[in-house]
Amino acid sequence: MSPVLLIPAQVQYTNTLSATLQHFLPVDKTIHGTMMGEPDIRSVVHLHGNRIVDQASDGFPEAWISPTGTLPMLPRVPPNLSPFQYTNNQEASLLWYHDHTIGMTRLNVFAGMAGLYIVRDTNEQTLITNNQLPSGRYEVPLVIQDRTFKLDGSLAYPDKDPNTLLGGIANPSVVPEFFGNVIVVNGTAWPYFQVEPKKYRLRLLNGSNARFYTMDFKFTDTTVIPSQDYYVPFQVIATDSGLLNAPVPATIGTSSITPTVPALTMAPAERYDIIIDFTGLGGKNITMTNSAPVPFGRTQPCTTAIPPCVPPGIPATGTMQGQIMQFKVNAPAVSSPAITIPAALRTPIVPLVNTPAHQVLLVETKDDKGRITPMLGTLNNGWIDFMGDHIDYTKNPIQVTPIGDTDKPARNSVQTWEIFNSTLDAHPIHLHDGAFQPIERQPFSAILGPGGSLTDICYSSTPRQPKSGTVVPACPPVTPPSPVLAREKGWKDTMLVYPSENNTPTINIGGIVKGQVTRVNIKFEGPGLFVWHCHITEHEDHDMMRPLAVR
Ligand SMILES: [Cu+2]
């Protein structure tokens, strides 16, 4: 969908799937939102990145509709059977709309319920008119996803949790993360695209459930011995929620995980616009490759100084997960004006002013089936589920402590959030009804309390000493925070929150937890009940989601 500039849109969603249809993917009936006899065939649509939204048009996970007219029980936001109202009153950006049904999002999005929604504004129109941005046939949206197929070509999604195959399990069961072995772009497996030797604006969405991509553009020159790989440089010009102040060259890293070539890492639901120039590359076949590890956690390799280290995941290589698509520079060049990307893409973004920090937590626990589940929570309380309860599965009978809503910002307010990640994975944290201005990241260590809560935070990459009796050892010297990457310094709605670079899992209360904190400022919008959650859809469906009550 591409709405007309600044003109509000009304979109009527209807669920016309057959009422007698079975879901063709394995539905887990033991997770939140699926346990009360809810129909399998149901949906609610979220326009991801929509800044100015009323709660009825946001797609609250409990506000699903079904073809039979079955309604959810006691939804906190009722289903909206009227047209959804989209103001389109926001900066030019690449949005996407997708299913957001509680307990079902991973399956419905995997099945194909996702599409792009491109918002335009006058600044972008001026850049295009002045030949400062490629447009028309030179502006190409690319939705990158991973899938697995059965022999007959139909979609295959796992139905068992590999970590609890031998235990008392749910069958079918949600899986910790889905990673497919086929990369599809705009729905086609490993496609190629014929381009002219010109500049292109590629508008990238990582629409995968859980797979991260670290992508580069390379071709091999076989006319020299030995053959030589060349990497095509590119610039990042926009992130999730709009243009950057200025173009940023693709990052060049320092390790095998952060490549030493021009590359871009994208977590699920992130969007980046890039400018790539195929001028002078006529006749070349340029492959967009992927080297991101699975799962995606720490980025640096272990050093022998910090055993027992949990190493990074295995980087993608080869011709399957290691490749995304190909650009064949063989289309005849059509006469068109030369494009000059300007040094300034917009009036500079005004930085939000920091407030006292709201400290939230990404923390790993296990559910009542013994399945690992990352959760959201707060430093003081540890994990809290979507209903606002702290559930302790280590207790028998299970203890539930009602904690309620912890996130109640005022409408149109600004808050600084410190997102502490004590898990082993990186999580793309998505916020509805607001947007992030990313600030910085900093390593920390802390003492583990009940329910994954953390106390006695030290901001240091040096592992601190464990408690001796009741004595809490002093903090090692502070490691200064690192500013976020230049390409992250725009408006974002999905923030990549990394784990510790030297984590070792700690489960003993009083033990030392290492992690990394990501600081962001958030501008909230209008009032209503919304959500914030991890956008690894398997995590989101397994309760890594919290209400966001904007007052
Ligand atoms: Cu997650």
Side-chain angles (χ1 to χ4, degrees):
M1 284 194 269
S2 190
V4 179
L5 192 64
L6 288 179
I7 295 180
Q10 296 192 349
V11 179
Q12 176 75 57
Y13 294 106
T14 47
N15 190 337
T16 59
L17 289 164
S18 164
T20 57
L21 209 62
Q22 295 286 303
H23 207 294
F24 71 102
L25 297 173
V27 178
D28 182 337
K29 305 277 194 179
T30 70
I31 56 176
H32 186 179
T34 65
M35 290 184 283
M36 308 298 281
E38 293 87 350
D40 290 355
I41 308 298
R42 57 198 164 109
S43 183
V44 59
V45 178
H46 170 56
L47 177 55
H48 182 126
N50 187 14
R51 290 266 311 250
I52 315 295
V53 61
D54 64 284
Q55 67 173 27
S57 299
D58 189 52
F60 194 79
E62 295 170 354
W64 47 264
I65 55 176
S66 80
T68 57
T70 307
L71 293 173
M73 267 191 284
L74 302 175
R76 281 171 282 183
V77 175
N80 180 6
L81 303 175
S82 305
F84 281 36
Q85 310 289 329
Y86 299 139
T87 65
N88 301 318
N89 185 11
Q90 63 186 85
E91 291 183 16
S93 47
L94 183 68
L95 277 49
W96 62 307
Y97 61 108
H98 61 76
D99 178 74
H100 211 306
T101 305
I102 186 147
M104 296 293 293
T105 299
R106 72 196 184 289
L107 302 177
N108 289 347
V109 171
F110 182 83
M113 297 181 83
L116 292 177
Y117 187 101
I118 299 175
V119 175
R120 305 290 185 184
D121 70 6
T122 49
N123 174 51
E124 181 191 57
Q125 295 286 350
T126 303
L127 292 169
I128 288 171
T129 305
N130 293 344
N131 297 321
Q132 293 176 307
L133 275 185
S135 64
R137 65 202 292 158
Y138 308 107
E139 177 188 340
V140 183
L142 298 173
V143 182
I144 303 167
Q145 297 170 308
D146 58 338
R147 293 289 183 267
T148 300
F149 296 95
K150 297 178 187 167
L151 284 177
D152 66 1
S154 61
L155 286 167
Y157 187 95
D159 62 357
K160 292 184 178 59
D161 176 358
N163 296 322
T164 53
L165 281 180
L166 301 176
I169 53 161
N171 190 7
S173 173
V174 65
V175 295
E177 280 129 8
F178 169 81
F179 298 112
N181 58 359
V182 175
I183 309 299
V184 299
V185 181
N186 296 353
T188 302
W190 298 294
Y192 70 86
F193 183 55
Q194 291 179 289
V195 295
E196 300 168 36
K198 291 186 176 175
K199 289 194 184 88
Y200 279 75
R201 176 186 185 186
L202 304 182
R203 312 198 67 178
L204 308 174
L205 160 67
N206 178 357
S208 305
N209 282 24
R211 182 179 290 280
F212 290 55
Y213 299 89
T214 297
M215 50 191 83
D216 58 50
F217 298 82
K218 80 172 181 191
F219 62 93
T220 304
D221 185 350
T222 52
T223 64
V224 294
I225 299 173
S227 64
Q228 184 86 38
D229 285 344
Y230 289 94
Y231 292 87
V232 183
F234 58 95
Q235 295 176 303
V236 180
I237 59 161
T239 181
D240 308 333
S241 312
L243 288 164
L244 292 165
N245 287 343
V248 172
T251 309
I252 297 180
T254 54
S255 78
S256 60
I257 307 298
T258 315
T260 54
V261 300
L264 170 66
T265 292
M266 291 182 71
E270 280 194 302
R271 285 91 70 210
Y272 283 106
D273 284 12
I274 66 171
I275 301 289
I276 185 164
D277 191 353
F278 297 112
T279 304
L281 298 174
K284 298 284 189 287
N285 292 335
I286 295 161
T287 304
M288 187 182 190
T289 67
N290 166 42
S291 61
V294 167
F296 196 94
R298 62 186 298 153
T299 63
Q300 299 296 318
C302 288
T303 68
T304 52
I306 45 169
C309 172
V310 178
I314 309 292
T317 56
T319 56
M320 293 190 66
Q321 297 95 316
Q323 294 193 353
I324 299 171
M325 65 176 289
Q326 197 168 64
F327 296 86
K328 295 179 187 286
V329 193
N330 62 4
V334 175
S335 176
S336 64
I339 302 293
T340 305
I341 309 296
L345 293 162
R346 55 174 300 151
T347 52
I349 296 168
V350 178
L352 300 173
V353 178
N354 290 11
T355 70
H358 185 75
Q359 295 181 312
V360 299
L361 180 65
L362 317 185
V363 54
E364 202 165 88
T365 182
K366 289 186 175 171
D367 72 2
D368 59 338
K369 304 281 185 296
R371 297 173 293 189
I372 291 170
T373 175
M375 304 273 284
L376 304 177
T378 63
L379 275 201
N380 292 338
N381 292 304
W383 57 78
I384 311 171
D385 72 7
F386 188 46
M387 300 306 289
D389 294 327
H390 173 89
I391 303 176
D392 194 341
Y393 293 110
T394 65
K395 298 268 168 60
N396 192 10
I398 291 168
Q399 264 189 6
V400 178
T401 313
I403 290 163
D405 290 345
T406 56
D407 308 306
K408 296 183 198 170
R411 68 189 71 177
N412 301 318
S413 68
V414 173
Q415 279 189 357
T416 301
W417 278 28
E418 294 186 328
I419 309 173
F420 289 81
N421 185 357
S422 66
T423 77
L424 295 174
D425 288 330
H427 300 271
I429 297 300
H430 173 51
L431 181 101
H432 295 213
D433 194 49
F436 297 119
Q437 277 187 4
I439 305 171
E440 62 190 17
R441 300 184 173 94
Q442 190 173 27
F444 74 86
S445 65
I447 298 199
L448 183 66
S453 59
L454 300 178
T455 59
D456 301 284
I457 309 281
C458 291
Y459 294 100
S460 177
S461 60
T462 308
R464 70 191 291 174
Q465 296 304 307
K467 248 162 114 171
S468 145
T470 56
V471 178
V472 177
C475 287
V478 169
T479 304
S482 306
V484 295
L485 297 174
R487 69 162 182 266
E488 296 177 299
K489 288 182 179 167
W491 287 105
K492 284 183 66 59
D493 58 48
T494 306
M495 188 65 209
L496 212 173
V497 179
Y498 284 103
S500 167
E501 285 296 342
N502 61 6
N503 206 350
T504 50
T506 300
I507 53 169
N508 298 325
I509 289 179
I512 302 298
V513 174
K514 295 161 208 145
Q516 189 166 186
V517 58
T518 298
R519 296 192 180 89
V520 294
N521 278 330
I522 304 174
K523 170 68 170 60
F524 295 98
E525 302 293 343
L529 188 61
F530 303 93
V531 288
W532 66 286
H533 59 88
C534 179
H535 219 292
I536 292 175
T537 51
E538 285 76 20
H539 293 182
E540 169 184 353
D541 277 350
H542 209 167
D543 239 7
M544 196 173 189
M545 178 153 64
R546 295 273 301 131
L548 180 74
V550 181
R551 291 169 286 135

